[in-house]
Amino acid sequence: MNIPSNYKGLPDGGDSNDTFVLLKAALDSSVSGIIVTDNKQPDNPIIYCNKSFQHITGYRYEEIIGHNCRFLQGDDREQPERLQLKEAIMKGEHINLEIRNYTKSGELFWNELYVSPIKNANGEVTHFIGVQHDVSRRKKAEEELRHERDMIERKVKERTKELKMSQEYLDSIVQTVRESLIVIEPDLKVQTVNEHFLRTFKVSRVETIDQELYKLGNGQWNIPRLKEMLEDILPTNNPVLDFEVEHNFPHIGKKLMLVNAYRVELEGQYKDRILLAIEDITERRAIEQRKDDFLSVASHELKTPLTTVKAYVQVMERMMHPESTPQFKSVVSKAGSELLRLNKLISELLDVSRLQSGRADINREPFDLNAVVKDVAEGLQTATTTHQIKIEGHIDQPYNGDESQLRQVVSNLISNAIKYSPDATSVEIFLSQVSTFIKVSVTDHGLGISLNDKKKIFERFYRASNIQKHFPGMGIGLYVCEQIIKHHGGDLWVDTEEGKGSTFSFTLPLKNEGDN
Ligand code: ADP
């Protein structure tokens, strides 16, 4: 047993050797590192250390005794805690601090140190007792926690900045968009509006924000059908698309507005808000109307002199001298066929304006669609030498519809099939009865239609871009066909593959609405 030679007895001291041994054993079994320094000797050397101290520091007993505690700090001298410790020892005071220490192998450990002075009867500090714990693990956890917190704070700051920027970015888009935008809360109160809305409806932000949509500007948005649709958006998520509102709006007069409404949700926030995008289409509609009116007037105006010229040419044909030159006969005949072509074009334009204005009545009468298809096909067959028009299938009962209009549909589809398959040699027509519908299909093996054009070919005046220059036409035929079929309660569509060909089909219900 190594008892320090200068040991003067334990402070609270048992004076028997047994007590000493017992106390020493108690100190050695402590998990805390314990040292005693002698303040009376120069440089306050360590005169005792227990086993735990040796274990924590990695130094052996004989490497510790006689040293001042500072060896534990190695070269890490700049720690402020060192000064505090020094000051407390000088003043003979108690101190508790955490200080960076190093083991014999140079490994850092955090030492939670309690230093207490021991005084003699005269009040002089004779010894210091140091109790230490290696709190490196706790320190490391604290450090990691701090690091984590710093990182989170930094991320939060960055994210906030990003959000602010994207908010500003979105705001600037919303404010510059040339459409009125308005966001309403689930209780239908206005949450935000953009500048365009305020300018269009000549209202102020104050009289709009937080107001119920239906109470805005004399209840101008209190439209039962719109209300119904808006109430449907939140539970079903169905947007309101292209809803037209014609209204005499305060400040701006009678306007036609196109409303689109969507439920908006942003990353779980702002749930159940509704965004209304409102477009003023009054002007656009008026221009479209003027164009339609012009078309209608122009085709009517053209039709009258044309009919007269046609009559003159017929008279010329009749009055032609039998001995007229073949050249003259050919010119008159060409004039006649060109007039027929012109007449057809003008009739198509008149069809469009009739359909546009809703003046195209259907005169329903039962007729044999097989016969009509056969008749049209035969007529077109005489005009083509390139294609063989084949008919397959049969419809077993008469159809009750407008024969002349449906003749036009069949004629348009077969003419197109021939026109848009210049390198093919046949066009097939298929007639059938499907359930309570009749079905007519016209198949060609020609150019086919691209996906993009397919969506638009039924619009009036639309022609696929690749064919415009090579084939004559005005882009009216399919529009007229679709309208006629729709008015009969049927459906017209195309199955097509670019470069392979197309099949245009229509169905017509055998039972008309209202039939039993
Ligand atoms: P038009 O033939 O006078 O252009 P239509 O309304 O009949 O007008 O047809 C519109 C467009 O649809 C055509 O310009 C053409 O691009 C396309 N189209 C119609 N029928 C066919 C077909 N059978 N094959 C390929 N394209 C077709």
Side-chain angles (χ1 to χ4, degrees):
M1 195 190 320
N2 288 322
I3 300 168
S5 54
N6 48 0
Y7 177 71
K8 304 272 179 8
L10 286 168
D12 268 340
D15 42 17
S16 80
N17 203 33
D18 284 352
T19 313
F20 173 77
V21 170
L22 210 58
L23 283 176
K24 187 177 176 302
L27 289 175
D28 276 342
S29 63
S30 164
V31 288
S32 310
I34 299 168
I35 53 167
V36 180
T37 65
D38 187 346
N39 199 36
K40 287 279 178 66
Q41 295 193 48
D43 206 22
N44 198 11
I46 299 169
I47 56 166
Y48 169 76
C49 71
N50 71 345
K51 288 241 167 73
S52 275
F53 185 85
Q54 298 167 51
H55 181 73
I56 293 170
T57 63
Y59 289 99
R60 281 179 291 116
Y61 190 81
E62 47 277 26
E63 291 170 319
I64 296 166
I65 301 304
H67 290 261
N68 179 285
C69 291
R70 79 174 74 83
F71 76 95
L72 287 174
Q73 280 110 51
D75 296 330
D76 194 355
R77 308 244 144 198
E78 302 302 322
Q79 318 181 49
E81 288 80 8
R82 264 175 54 88
L83 261 170
Q84 294 168 17
L85 190 59
K86 202 171 158 190
E87 233 178 81
I89 286 172
M90 262 170 55
K91 290 183 185 162
E93 285 172 353
H94 173 96
I95 190 163
N96 175 14
L97 45 74
E98 280 171 11
I99 187 162
R100 282 194 300 275
N101 280 178
Y102 296 85
T103 63
K104 186 179 172 186
S105 60
E107 209 176 305
L108 167 77
F109 70 94
W110 276 93
N111 190 354
E112 186 188 41
L113 182 62
Y114 295 85
V115 175
S116 305
I118 307 290
K119 295 178 182 168
N120 62 16
N122 301 328
E124 294 161 348
V125 178
T126 57
H127 298 83
F128 282 98
I129 306 237
V131 179
Q132 36 216 329
H133 299 118
D134 180 355
V135 291
S136 304
R137 256 197 270 170
R138 195 194 79 211
K139 273 289 204 196
K140 195 165 166 234
E142 279 174 10
E143 186 60 31
E144 279 171 3
L145 207 69
R146 197 169 38 247
H147 181 71
E148 194 89 338
R149 209 180 44 223
D150 287 353
M151 217 168 68
I152 289 171
E153 267 173 22
R154 214 176 41 246
K155 276 196 182 149
V156 167
K157 267 191 200 149
E158 277 167 16
R159 189 92 182 93
T160 313
K161 199 172 148 206
E162 274 170 25
L163 274 176
K164 202 164 161 262
M165 274 166 68
S166 51
Q167 176 82 33
E168 281 167 7
Y169 177 65
L170 278 178
D171 274 354
S172 64
I173 293 176
V174 166
Q175 293 308 338
T176 45
V177 127
R178 291 181 57 77
E179 207 167 313
S180 296
L181 298 178
I182 174 166
V183 176
I184 52 176
E185 300 277 8
D187 61 3
L188 301 172
K189 282 199 174 145
V190 178
Q191 200 260 339
T192 40
V193 284
N194 69 346
E195 281 299 322
H196 198 274
F197 180 92
L198 301 176
R199 270 204 310 276
T200 305
F201 294 95
K202 297 202 167 45
V203 285
S204 72
R205 209 171 273 278
V206 179
E207 59 188 332
T208 310
I209 300 287
D210 267 345
Q211 302 299 316
E212 201 188 304
L213 177 72
Y214 304 137
K215 291 189 182 145
L216 290 185
N218 290 346
Q220 64 198 30
W221 295 105
N222 194 357
I223 301 157
R225 179 89 185 91
L226 178 70
K227 211 168 175 174
E228 220 173 85
M229 287 196 286
L230 288 181
E231 276 161 16
D232 202 35
I233 286 186
L234 297 181
T236 61
N237 223 352
N238 287 338
V240 173
L241 297 177
D242 295 341
F243 179 73
E244 288 186 12
V245 177
E246 194 172 25
H247 193 81
N248 207 345
F249 290 92
H251 313 306
I252 57 169
K254 195 166 179 190
K255 294 277 172 192
L256 182 63
M257 298 287 173
L258 195 67
V259 179
N260 281 283
Y262 306 84
R263 173 172 174 263
V264 279
E265 185 177 342
L266 187 67
E267 290 178 0
Q269 288 183 59
Y270 315 132
K271 241 176 111 201
D272 288 348
R273 283 183 183 169
I274 299 170
L275 168 72
L276 291 168
I278 304 157
E279 194 186 346
D280 182 352
I281 55 165
T282 322
E283 192 67 11
R284 198 208 302 163
R285 235 345 115 71
I287 292 171
E288 275 170 15
Q289 188 57 47
R290 276 207 293 280
K291 200 176 72 194
D292 289 344
D293 292 350
F294 167 77
L295 201 69
S296 168
V297 170
S299 40
H300 269 108
E301 290 299 314
L302 289 171
K303 187 89 180 175
T304 321
L306 180 73
T307 314
T308 316
V309 176
K310 220 167 83 187
Y312 284 143
V313 171
Q314 275 167 1
V315 170
M316 274 172 77
E317 272 173 341
R318 251 181 281 132
M319 286 173 59
M320 201 161 18
H321 199 276
E323 275 157 37
S324 302
T325 62
Q327 248 170 327
F328 182 68
K329 281 183 183 166
S330 151
V331 167
V332 174
S333 144
K334 274 185 187 150
S337 52
E338 286 303 306
L339 276 175
L340 277 181
R341 217 159 76 87
L342 194 56
N343 193 42
K344 192 168 170 284
L345 290 174
I346 292 174
S347 300
E348 280 188 358
L349 285 175
L350 276 170
D351 283 345
V352 172
S353 66
R354 256 200 301 273
L355 286 165
Q356 278 301 117
S357 61
R359 283 183 283 116
D361 296 334
I362 306 181
N363 298 313
R364 283 191 191 267
E365 293 242 9
F367 69 95
D368 180 3
L369 193 59
N370 302 289
V372 167
V373 172
K374 190 163 173 273
D375 196 35
V376 173
E378 278 173 3
L380 290 168
Q381 186 67 79
T382 55
T384 171
T385 50
T386 49
H387 292 71
Q388 188 69 34
I389 306 171
K390 299 173 196 163
I391 304 174
E392 274 179 57
H394 194 265
I395 296 159
D396 295 332
Q397 46 180 303
Y399 176 67
N400 185 21
D402 191 314
E403 180 180 338
S404 139
Q405 289 187 7
L406 290 167
R407 180 178 283 273
Q408 196 180 344
V409 173
V410 174
S411 172
N412 273 341
L413 296 183
I414 303 177
S415 309
N416 276 350
I418 296 170
K419 182 161 67 167
Y420 296 114
S421 65
D423 299 328
T425 54
S426 70
V427 165
E428 290 100 34
I429 302 161
F430 196 78
L431 306 172
S432 61
Q433 216 160 300
V434 185
S435 169
T436 54
F437 291 83
I438 51 178
K439 181 176 174 187
V440 178
S441 300
V442 179
T443 298
D444 67 62
H445 309 280
L447 306 172
I449 301 161
S450 75
L451 216 62
N452 192 32
D453 288 328
K454 192 178 150 184
K455 291 183 211 140
K456 300 180 189 152
I457 49 168
F458 294 101
E459 290 171 15
R460 62 198 169 124
F461 308 125
Y462 186 85
R463 309 196 70 216
S465 49
N466 58 332
I467 56 98
Q468 289 201 18
K469 287 187 214 108
H470 312 290
F471 301 88
M474 291 194 292
I476 288 175
L478 286 181
Y479 168 76
V480 171
C481 290
E482 193 185 40
Q483 295 301 313
I484 292 175
I485 298 295
K486 258 195 197 158
H487 289 166
H488 279 79
D491 193 27
L492 168 67
W493 72 96
V494 61
D495 295 302
T496 179
E497 199 176 330
E498 225 180 337
K500 295 241 166 109
S502 313
T503 297
F504 282 84
S505 307
F506 66 83
T507 48
L508 293 168
L510 280 166
K511 280 193 171 180
N512 298 321
E513 258 176 51
D515 287 0
N516 292 314

